[in-house]
C-alpha cells in the first residue's frame, strides 16, 4: 500500500502488454500519467479477447476480475508471461476507484468499466457494448488507484521512466511512449533501444574506461531464449544483472550460476592452453575473472520458477546447462577471433590474481608477526 506498490500497479498492466509483444503482436506501448491522477496504458496488440467465454461472461471480464486468469486463454501464443505473480490486471482492478477499458478488435471499439472491481456496464447477450468502429487493434486501460487502500496515490514518474527504459533495453523491437500530463510536469519521452542489451551494457559503463566493444551472445535451446552482453571496464567492481522474462532477478539464480561457472572454467582452460597460467600456477578464481565485468544475462523461459525471499531468484535447473552451453560455444570463438582484446582482458585477470595472492601473503605475515608478539 506504499508508493512502491502504487507504481507496481502500472507495471502489472504494462507487463501484460509486454507479454503481447513477446507473443509477437504488439510494437508500441503508451503510458500516460493523467492530470486527474489516473494512469493510461495502451498497446497495439491483438486486444484482450471480448467474445463470450464462460457462463455468459465476456472473456475480458474473466481476465479483469478473476485471479490467475492471466495467460490461461491461449497458452501457445502466450508463452513467455512474466509469471511472477500471475494475477496482474484483476488485482489492479480490485485496487482501483475506477478502471476503464477500451478494446479495439474485429473492427469495433469495445468498452467496459469497473468501480472498485465491480463492473458498471451492462452486457448485451453477454457481450460488451461497442462505442465506435476502428481499423486498429489493441487494448487501452485507464485506472485510478483506490485512495482508501493506498497511503499515497501520486505515481513516481522517475521510477516509471526507468522501468520503461529497462523494458526498452530488454525488448529491442518495442517502442515505449511515456507522457506526463500532470500539472506543471508536462513531458513526453520515447524509449526505443534497437541495440537491446548491448546498449544497456554501454549505458551502465557510461563515463568509465571501457576495454573493448561489448560482446553479445544469443542462443535458443528447448524454447528457452538466452542473450548475454559483456563489457569489461578498467575498474574493479563486478556488475552482473540477470533477467528472466523481463523481470530483474535480484537474487540471481540458475542463469547467473551457469554463466559464472562456465565463464571462469573456460578462461582457465584458455589461459593454460596459451601458457598464461603455468603448471605451477593456481587457477583464476571466479572473482578474478569477473573483476571489472559488466554483464546482462537475459533469458526468456516459457515456464519460469521464481524462488527466494523476494521471488526474484530463477530456479529452473535446466537453465544452468543451457546458459553454460551458449557461453561455452561463443566465448572460445570470441577469444580466438579477438586476440588483442583477449590479451587485455586476461592481463587484467592476472593482475587481480596477483593482487589477491599478495594480499593473502601480507595478511598471513601480519597475523604471524602478531602471534609472535603475543607469544613473547
Ligand atoms: C489473451 C489472449 C490473447 C490476447 C491477450 C490475452 C491480450 C492481453 C492483453 C493485456 C494487455 N494487452 C493485451 N493484449 C492481448 C489472444 C487473443 C487472440 O487470439 O486474438
Amino acid at each position: 500500500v506504499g508508493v512502491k506498490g502504487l507504481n507496481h500497479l502500472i507495471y502489472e498492466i504494462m507487463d501484460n502488454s509486454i507479454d503481447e509483444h513477446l507473443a509477437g503482436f504488439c510494437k508500441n506501448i503508451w503510458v500516460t500519467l493523467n492530470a486527474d491522477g489516473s494512469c493510461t496504458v495502451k498497446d497495439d496488440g491483438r486486444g484482450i479477447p471480448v467474445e463470450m467465454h464462460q457462463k455468459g461472461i465476456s472473456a475480458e471480464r474473466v481476465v479483469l476480475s478473476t485471479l490467475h486468469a492471466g495467460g490461461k486463454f491461449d497458452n501457445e501464443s502466450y508463452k513467455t508471461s512474466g509469471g511472477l505473480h500471475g494475477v496482474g490486471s484483476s488485482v489492479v482492478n480490485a485496487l482501483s476507484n475506477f478502471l476503464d477499458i477500451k478494446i479495439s478488435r474485429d473492427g469495433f471499439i469495445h468498452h467496459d468499466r469497473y468501480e472498485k472491481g465491480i463492473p458498471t456496464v451492462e452486457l448485451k447477450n453477454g457481450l460488451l457494448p461497442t462505442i465506435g468502429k476502428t481499423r486498429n487493434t489493441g487494448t487501452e486501460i485507464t485506472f485510478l488507484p483506490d485512495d482508501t487502500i493506498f497511503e499515497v496515490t501520486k505515481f513516481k514518474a522517475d521510477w516509471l521512466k526507468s522501468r520503461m527504459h529497462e523494458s526498452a533495453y530488454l525488448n529491442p523491437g518495442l517502442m515505449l511512449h511515456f507522457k506526463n500530463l500532470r500539472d506543471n510536469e508536462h513531458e513526453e519521452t520515447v524509449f526505443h533501444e534497437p541495440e537491446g542489451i548491448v546498449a544497456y551494457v554501454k549505458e551502465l559503463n557510461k563515463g568509465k574506461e571501457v576495454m573493448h566493444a561489448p560482446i553479445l551472445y544469443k542462443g535458443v535451446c528447448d524454447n528457452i531464449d538466452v542473450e548475454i552482453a559483456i563489457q569489461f571496464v578498467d575498474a574493479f567492481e563486478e556488475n552482473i544483472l540477470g533477467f528472466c522474462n523481463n523481470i530483474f532477478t535480484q537474487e540471481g539464480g540458475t542463469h547467473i550460476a551457469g554463466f559464472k561457472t562456465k565463464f571462469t572454467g573456460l578462461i582457465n582452460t584458455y589461459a593454460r592452453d596459451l601458457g598464461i597460467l603455468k603448471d605451477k600456477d593456481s587457477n583464476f578464481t571466479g572473482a578474478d575473472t569477473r573483476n571489472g565485468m559488466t554483464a546482462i544475462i537475459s533469458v526468456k523461459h516459457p515456464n519460469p520458477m521464481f524462488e527466494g525471499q523476494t521471488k526474484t531468484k530463477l530456479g529452473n535447473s535446466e537453465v544452468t546447462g543451457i546458459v553454460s552451453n551458449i557461453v561455452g560455444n561463443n566465448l572460445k570463438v570470441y577469444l580466438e577471433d579477438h586476440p588483442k582484446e583477449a590479451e587485455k582482458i586476461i592481463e587484467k585477470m592476472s593482475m587481480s590474481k596477483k593482487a589477491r595472492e599478495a594480499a593473502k601473503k601480507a595478511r598471513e605475515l601480519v597475523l604471524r608477526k602478531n602471534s609472535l608478539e603475543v607469544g613473547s
Side-chain angles (χ1 to χ4, degrees):
V1 293
V3 68
K4 261 186 98 175
L6 182 80
N7 257 51
H8 205 90
L9 298 176
I10 305 180
Y11 309 152
E12 284 291 339
I13 302 289
M14 225 172 80
D15 284 350
N16 291 333
S17 299
I18 293 176
D19 280 349
E20 185 64 1
H21 168 74
L22 291 174
F25 300 98
C26 157
K27 288 199 159 61
N28 292 277
I29 301 174
W30 296 264
V31 182
T32 306
L33 299 177
N34 301 306
D36 66 353
S38 68
C39 173
T40 301
V41 179
K42 180 178 179 230
D43 70 53
D44 57 359
R46 289 167 294 180
I48 297 178
V50 292
E51 71 274 4
M52 190 102 89
H53 186 68
Q54 47 165 236
K55 296 187 203 143
I57 297 180
S58 141
E60 173 272 328
R61 288 248 166 122
V62 179
V63 173
L64 272 293
S65 39
T66 318
L67 291 179
H68 299 288
K72 298 244 168 77
F73 279 91
D74 185 358
N75 260 329
E76 257 320 289
S77 62
Y78 216 58
K79 266 182 214 124
T80 43
S81 152
L84 183 58
H85 308 298
V87 291
S89 39
S90 58
V91 170
V92 177
N93 191 11
L95 302 180
S96 294
N97 274 341
F98 74 78
L99 184 147
D100 198 278
I101 177 164
K102 297 189 181 86
I103 296 165
S104 297
R105 215 178 138 91
D106 312 320
F108 292 97
I109 306 171
H110 311 261
H111 176 244
D112 204 0
R113 190 177 172 89
Y114 303 79
E115 278 164 29
K116 304 212 174 189
I118 297 166
T120 61
V121 167
E122 217 177 300
L123 302 184
K124 291 205 177 88
N125 301 321
L127 296 179
L128 297 176
T130 58
I131 54 166
K133 291 188 174 184
T134 181
R135 289 166 183 270
N136 302 328
T137 63
T139 306
E140 177 179 333
I141 294 176
T142 300
F143 66 97
L144 180 71
D146 188 335
D147 57 347
T148 65
I149 292 172
F150 288 94
E151 292 161 353
V152 245
T153 49
K154 191 176 179 208
F155 296 115
K156 285 264 192 225
D158 287 344
W159 295 358
L160 173 57
K161 281 194 288 177
S162 302
R163 173 79 176 228
M164 290 176 76
H165 204 167
E166 182 183 283
S167 299
Y169 284 124
L170 296 171
N171 302 283
L174 185 62
M175 299 248 254
L176 295 117
H177 310 255
F178 169 79
K179 200 189 267 188
N180 192 341
L181 296 176
R182 298 189 303 206
D183 292 346
N184 305 316
E185 293 182 20
H186 281 227
E187 182 188 352
E188 255 188 272
T189 320
V190 183
F191 299 103
H192 181 216
E193 298 289 352
E195 268 200 286
I197 59 172
V198 164
Y200 200 171
V201 160
K202 284 184 188 166
E203 171 61 29
L204 291 170
N205 284 344
K206 210 160 76 180
K208 296 177 186 157
E209 197 179 320
V210 302
M211 293 171 56
H212 58 98
I215 309 168
L216 178 68
Y217 306 147
K218 284 186 188 192
V220 197
C221 182
D222 296 339
N223 235 342
I224 299 164
D225 224 273
V226 180
E227 280 192 33
I228 302 171
I230 308 171
Q231 187 179 41
F232 280 88
V233 293
D234 199 7
F236 286 98
E237 60 273 12
E238 157 185 338
N239 191 11
I240 302 176
L241 306 182
F243 295 87
C244 178
N245 297 357
N246 292 318
I247 292 164
F248 174 50
T249 46
Q250 184 141 33
E251 296 173 275
T254 49
H255 53 337
I256 304 290
F259 170 75
K260 286 184 173 175
T261 308
K262 191 70 187 188
F263 189 87
T264 305
L266 228 142
I267 291 286
N268 275 308
T269 307
Y270 181 84
R272 284 210 187 273
D273 286 351
L274 285 192
I276 300 167
L277 287 179
K278 306 274 189 297
D279 286 344
K280 62 174 174 37
D281 293 330
S282 62
N283 272 345
F284 293 125
T285 64
D288 289 339
T289 66
R290 295 189 300 270
N291 250 319
M293 176 194 277
T294 303
I296 313 272
I297 326 284
S298 172
V299 302
K300 306 252 164 77
H301 196 292
N303 197 3
M305 284 176 357
F306 292 101
E307 303 173 341
Q309 286 274 298
T310 55
K311 295 271 175 281
T312 58
K313 182 175 181 181
L314 185 63
N316 304 69
S317 57
E318 72 282 9
V319 172
T320 307
I322 291 172
V323 172
S324 169
N325 281 342
I326 288 166
V327 174
N329 294 340
N330 292 283
L331 179 60
K332 203 159 172 271
V333 175
Y334 176 86
L335 294 171
E336 282 163 5
D337 290 352
H338 301 78
K340 284 228 171 65
E341 284 89 343
E343 191 188 316
K344 261 204 284 188
I345 292 169
I346 292 181
E347 175 63 26
K348 186 174 171 61
M349 295 170 183
S350 299
M351 246 170 53
S352 158
K353 180 172 184 287
K354 271 189 206 138
R356 177 173 55 78
E357 286 165 353
K360 187 169 173 244
K361 272 199 192 118
R363 183 169 183 275
E364 282 166 0
L365 201 69
V366 170
L367 290 177
R368 204 175 321 134
K369 207 171 145 232
N370 196 268
S371 73
L372 283 177
E373 279 163 5
V374 170
S376 66

